[in-house]
Amino acid sequence: MSERPHVKYPFEIDGRWVLRHHIPYDVRYEGRAHQVVAAVFREPSVHGRIRIGREGSPLAEYDDLAPGDIVEITGDAWRVTEVEYRTHITLERVTDGNKEATGAQAGQ
């Protein structure tokens, strides 16, 4: 079984990526620029949202994120490990085959 290559994320450290609240991250994937933006809300309970776009067009949005949820960003699976109000969403790279769907709303 061959391991597929991972995208290099600019702020990933030891398999973790801390997405700061409302800070856009630029990721190159398959020769194209992708933007990743996270937001954290407190009502009705603390939860996160991650929006992914490519060259100005929306690709996917993950809403109501809580620890344990799985998201896919430019072909890589990530597990939400922490959501802190107006601060950050911490993601951990999924390395096993246990990928549970969270219901992303895909764009074009």
Side-chain angles (χ1 to χ4, degrees), residues 26-35 53-55 57 59 74:
D26 293 320
V27 177
R28 299 289 299 171
Y29 176 62
E30 295 182 341
R32 299 176 92 175
H34 291 72
Q35 297 77 39
R54 180 180 60 220
E55 298 169 352
S57 298
L59 290 179
T74 59

Side-chain angles (χ1 to χ4, degrees), residues 36-48:
V36 178
V37 178
V40 182
F41 307 95
R42 71 173 177 196
E43 297 296 331
S45 62
V46 175
H47 67 280

Side-chain angles (χ1 to χ4, degrees), residues 26-102:
D26 293 320
V27 177
R28 299 289 299 171
Y29 176 62
E30 295 182 341
R32 299 176 92 175
H34 291 72
Q35 297 77 39
V36 178
V37 178
V40 182
F41 307 95
R42 71 173 177 196
E43 297 296 331
S45 62
V46 175
H47 67 280
R49 174 186 299 142
I50 297 175
R51 290 185 174 161
I52 303 155
R54 180 180 60 220
E55 298 169 352
S57 298
L59 290 179
E61 179 176 295
Y62 297 93
D63 203 359
D64 295 325
L65 293 173
D69 289 339
I70 304 289
V71 298
E72 184 180 314
I73 301 174
T74 59
D76 293 325
W78 298 87
R79 180 174 292 110
V80 176
T81 60
E82 182 180 30
V83 179
E84 187 163 328
Y85 176 59
R86 295 193 78 186
T87 306
H88 66 272
I89 298 173
T90 302
L91 303 175
E92 172 182 81
R93 190 181 289 278
V94 174
T95 56
D96 59 29
N98 186 12
K99 296 180 187 177
E100 298 174 20
T102 60

